[in-house]
Amino acid sequence: MEELVYPDGADFWFVRYGGIARWRPAKGVEVTGFFSRYDYFDEETTPVIFTSGAFLPRRIARNRFYGQHWADWAGHPQNFGAMAKVDRGPWQIGLGLFSSRFTIDQFGANLFARTDAHGRTERQVLLGRDQVSQSYSGELLVEREFTEGPRCHHLLASARFRRVDDDLGGFAFRSLGPGAIDVADSVPEPDVAFGALTRDEIRQETGALGYEMQWQGLREINFGLQKTRYRKKVRAPGLAPSANADSPILWNASAVLTAMDGIVLYAATTRGLEESGTAPSFAANANLSLPALRTRQVEAGVRWTLTKDVKLIAGLFDVRRPYFELDADNVFRVLGDVKHRGRRFRSPPSPCQALT
């Protein structure tokens, strides 16, 4: 167990523990399990000061905490899971099951509002409890690899799932009256009634097929195809539940070719699906579950080997995703695309290293 002290005098205690176990019951069979957890408690957070105008508040002494000591944090992040691998000649089978959990059992934030140039302020606290984010996921992967003269072929099939349950919100806000920003003036902890929590649920299953081929001297090609089923539901207090679903076909492809001795060309494209959250509280469709984002990425480049130890890599990329913002009716929705274009330096992928 350790205690940490921040420069503003806030402190907290934490304990961290975990472990890994590995078992090989037979040749080519390996099972690995892991667990890790981090418990924190009595964590005081840095007070946040809001001034009443465009000026800085007066200087504050270091190493002195001036918030309310009972407005602190406690909770834990935790991860555990297991993986099994079976290697039978050209066949490889992998299975993984995972769980991740993050809790805030107690939440407290010290706020100082309408602070003037002399440090006079209104003391406030924001309190919460029982915030939980829990996810479960798993994957079954089957691979088959074989060689054909100078060519290495790699086939794979996978099935994945994930389940995410978030319980958030329910905060309570209290004013503690006037005070000064650098004066530790403790008051009794008020009795508060916390609000109901917002429930956010995500369910997703994905099946995928992939093929890679590496050709000695010609480099490689790669294709992947995914079918995913995605559902999201949000239940906020006092509002009707909102939900959305999507079931796209996603794909990726890449190629790495040797143009001439010392010069390698590469290109890749990907279609993806990203989480998008909910509409903000100030929108006309506040807390509405937003649709998942379909994203696109294209990149291409060249790697030039100048000497044994010197390589020049240049690449171009184009990444696009939907853009959410408020429209003229104050509805938070997709209004266009966000585009990222540019150049960068990176090494192209090379899965069959034995033939390069």
Side-chain angles (χ1 to χ4, degrees):
M1 182 179 294
E2 295 186 42
E3 180 183 15
L4 292 183
V5 180
Y6 297 116
D8 61 2
D11 62 12
F12 76 102
W13 293 86
F14 72 90
V15 57
R16 182 180 292 151
Y17 47 95
I20 298 176
R22 185 170 287 113
W23 179 41
R24 297 186 178 93
K27 183 179 180 180
V29 180
E30 181 178 278
V31 180
T32 302
F34 65 90
F35 173 82
S36 67
R37 179 163 167 144
Y38 171 94
D39 286 276
Y40 61 95
F41 42 94
D42 293 333
E43 180 175 1
E44 298 161 343
T45 58
T46 300
V48 180
I49 300 172
F50 301 91
T51 59
S52 58
F55 56 84
L56 292 174
R58 73 184 186 190
R59 294 182 66 86
I60 299 172
R62 290 178 178 268
N63 299 319
R64 185 170 66 190
F65 183 71
Y66 51 92
Q68 302 299 317
H69 289 275
W70 43 261
D72 53 16
W73 289 50
H76 70 268
Q78 173 182 287
N79 298 285
F80 68 89
M83 298 170 289
K85 296 188 296 183
V86 179
D87 191 339
R88 288 289 182 265
W91 291 94
Q92 293 86 42
I93 300 174
L95 175 65
L97 296 172
F98 312 97
S99 173
S100 180
R101 178 183 176 91
F102 181 79
T103 74
I104 302 177
D105 301 324
Q106 179 178 326
F107 169 87
N110 289 279
L111 311 174
F112 293 84
R114 294 180 285 278
T115 305
D116 65 21
H118 302 288
R120 294 186 292 263
T121 188
E122 179 186 347
R123 298 172 298 165
Q124 302 171 343
V125 291
L126 182 66
L127 304 174
R129 67 179 182 186
D130 301 331
Q131 314 285 307
V132 180
S133 180
Q134 174 78 60
S135 71
Y136 300 95
S137 60
E139 179 176 14
L140 172 64
L141 177 64
V142 179
E143 302 177 77
R144 172 74 158 84
E145 187 173 290
F146 61 93
T147 58
E148 176 202 0
R151 291 173 292 277
C152 170
H153 303 274
H154 187 195
L155 304 173
L156 62 89
S158 71
R160 284 170 280 172
F161 82 92
R162 71 180 181 119
R163 170 176 176 160
V164 181
D165 296 309
D166 293 336
D167 293 305
L168 306 170
F171 295 105
F173 177 82
R174 291 292 183 273
S175 175
L176 304 180
I181 58 175
D182 58 351
V183 176
D185 186 8
S186 298
V187 301
E189 181 176 357
D191 293 327
V192 297
F194 295 99
L197 299 175
T198 294
R199 178 76 166 184
D200 191 326
E201 300 175 352
I202 296 172
R203 305 290 184 266
Q204 186 173 5
E205 300 85 35
T206 302
L209 297 173
Y211 169 73
E212 299 174 357
M213 181 187 71
Q214 178 111 26
W215 197 328
Q216 189 173 15
L218 193 61
R219 292 290 173 164
E220 67 155 286
I221 58 173
N222 180 312
F223 300 101
L225 189 67
Q226 298 184 56
K227 175 63 175 178
T228 187
R229 182 168 174 259
Y230 169 90
R231 289 96 63 210
K232 179 181 176 71
K233 181 183 290 186
V234 177
R235 294 196 294 267
L239 299 175
S242 66
N244 66 75
D246 201 357
S247 186
I249 295 177
L250 307 173
W251 55 275
N252 64 276
S254 66
V256 181
L257 303 175
T258 302
M260 60 183 67
D261 189 32
I263 297 181
V264 175
L265 305 177
Y266 71 92
T269 182
T270 304
R271 299 293 184 269
L273 195 71
E274 289 186 5
E275 202 69 44
S276 57
T278 58
S281 59
F282 50 79
N285 57 337
N287 299 310
L288 182 70
S289 176
L290 299 175
L293 306 180
R294 299 194 186 190
T295 63
R296 296 171 290 169
Q297 179 173 331
V298 178
E299 60 180 308
V302 58
R303 185 179 71 180
W304 184 11
T305 302
L306 301 175
T307 69
K308 180 181 178 181
D309 300 319
V310 180
K311 295 181 177 67
L312 175 64
I313 303 174
L316 301 174
F317 66 88
D318 185 309
V319 181
R320 305 187 184 196
R321 64 193 301 273
Y323 171 68
F324 279 91
E325 191 48 87
L326 295 172
D327 65 11
D329 298 319
N330 200 40
V331 176
F332 196 74
R333 63 181 183 85
V334 175
L335 295 183
D337 285 335
V338 177
K339 301 178 183 178
H340 299 275
R341 294 175 175 172
R343 60 182 183 271
R344 62 185 173 189
F345 299 99
R346 64 185 291 272
S347 296
S350 183
C352 291
Q353 296 293 334
L355 296 180
T356 58

